[in-house]
Amino acid sequence: MRLTVLVDNAALTDRYFLAEPGLSIYIEDGATRVLFDVGYSGILVANARKMGIDLLRVEEIVLSHGHLDHTWGLDALLRLHTEAIIEGRERIEPTFVAHPDAFLTRSLDGAGEIGCHLSVEELFRHGKVLLTTAPLWLTENLVFLGEIERRFEFEQAPSGGYIYTPDGIRDDTIADDTALACRTPEGLVVITGCSHAGICSIVEQAREVCGEDRVADIIGGFHLLDPPPEQMQGILNYFSDVQPAALHPCHCTGLAAKVALSKVADVRETGVGLHLEYE
């Protein structure tokens, strides 16, 4: 399994790519190509082109959750596909994979839409759409984890604004927040978006779904910008027990949290241009 960071809050030193508050990771598992999240704007297209990655050959576009910094790049991606159709260029019709709540309208602090501004019906015009709360195997070793069971009291967080459902407006617990996990000979590689569901809960679900306790790496947002002390301590205790071989926290993980995590695990630099391979 190979992965490349296309969008993150920062680019690696001396790598001349664009960065923004958002996330997108390109994954190859064998012959299968997966795009995990699409960032906030269109920079994933420009960065992928400079890296020699053909986004028109991606089979599955997986969304970790519906927030704008993970979904609004869909506009640029759909333009890329539309132009390819018009110009008669070869492409693969993608399948969009997400939790059913990922395309609902969301509001926060007066912003009328902080969720995906494309509906499921609109996406169906551009490819297949697969919505599921259950784990879904994308390849023999790569799995979409589905709705995450919130297992740890220290990770419980207040709602993040409001979500507009067919049954009415309710507090947004971000139930759609999920992740990917890949089985490798060294253990699991867990790929997260923002970890609103709790990074420890996500890792536990990955271990359970995959039937593997060893964790080789965790890469993505840990949602630790300014965590309460009891939450941070709970996470440190958890990682001390699990002993992941490496951590690549990025996007919504603050410096203080990275420093704290480095005391219990091997924290490595992450940014646009990072390429990792797991044999």
Side-chain angles (χ1 to χ4, degrees):
M1 194 268 283
R2 298 170 295 279
L3 66 80
T4 303
V5 178
L6 295 182
V7 177
D8 185 25
N9 295 38
L12 295 181
T13 301
D14 292 336
R15 304 302 304 277
Y16 298 101
F17 301 117
L18 300 172
E20 67 182 8
L23 187 73
S24 181
I25 298 176
Y26 172 76
I27 302 162
E28 293 181 355
D29 186 38
T32 301
R33 300 173 181 87
V34 177
L35 187 63
F36 180 69
D37 286 342
V38 293
Y40 174 74
S41 69
I43 69 170
L44 82 159
V45 174
N47 285 340
R49 186 177 293 119
K50 289 179 73 172
M51 295 178 196
I53 293 171
D54 186 358
L55 295 179
L56 292 174
R57 297 182 60 80
V58 169
E59 288 99 336
E60 275 122 0
I61 299 168
V62 178
L63 300 178
S64 66
H65 63 301
H67 280 161
L68 75 176
D69 49 340
H70 298 258
T71 64
W72 280 16
L74 282 171
D75 279 345
L77 198 59
L78 296 181
R79 282 196 297 272
L80 186 71
H81 276 271
T82 299
E83 291 165 8
I85 293 169
I86 292 170
E87 295 164 7
R89 291 190 283 120
E90 185 178 346
R91 60 182 279 275
I92 293 174
E93 182 179 87
T95 297
F96 301 92
V97 180
H99 185 283
D101 287 359
F103 300 100
L104 297 178
T105 287
R106 304 176 125 106
S107 63
L108 176 69
D109 296 337
E113 181 62 273
I114 65 162
C116 184
H117 55 319
L118 292 169
S119 67
V120 173
E121 291 74 21
E122 288 169 319
L123 274 187
F124 263 120
R125 301 173 194 162
H126 300 276
K128 305 177 185 71
V129 180
L130 182 53
L131 304 180
T132 178
T133 61
L136 175 68
W137 289 93
L138 306 177
T139 70
E140 183 180 352
N141 291 309
L142 183 66
V143 62
F144 172 80
L145 292 176
E147 187 166 325
I148 304 297
E149 179 184 349
R150 316 275 173 117
R151 303 168 188 247
F152 299 99
E153 184 64 32
F154 60 81
E155 288 189 314
Q156 301 302 316
S159 63
Y162 300 96
I163 190 166
Y164 296 70
T165 77
D167 298 323
I169 303 172
R170 57 176 168 80
D171 289 341
D172 188 6
T173 61
I174 319 177
D176 53 318
D177 182 81
T178 187
L180 297 176
C182 188
R183 295 184 297 206
T184 77
E186 294 80 27
L188 294 178
V189 176
V190 182
I191 305 162
T192 68
C194 261
S195 300
H196 292 284
I199 186 62
C200 302
S201 293
I202 289 171
V203 173
E204 275 303 289
Q205 186 140 327
R207 296 168 83 192
E208 183 179 285
V209 169
C210 297
E212 169 64 84
D213 286 336
R214 296 173 303 147
V215 178
D217 202 349
I218 308 168
I219 179 169
F222 285 27
H223 199 59
L224 297 175
L225 289 173
D226 187 21
E230 59 272 17
Q231 179 187 1
M232 194 71 238
Q233 189 57 54
I235 292 170
L236 295 177
N237 293 342
Y238 175 81
F239 282 135
S240 293
D241 292 337
V242 173
Q243 296 186 326
L247 297 178
H248 284 88
C250 60
H251 179 44
C252 53
T253 315
L255 177 60
K258 292 178 184 178
V259 170
L261 289 166
S262 71
K263 297 175 182 177
V264 298
D266 181 9
V267 172
R268 302 179 184 179
E269 187 175 12
T270 310
V272 178
L274 178 69
H275 181 74
L276 299 172
E277 295 194 19
Y278 307 89
E279 298 298 332

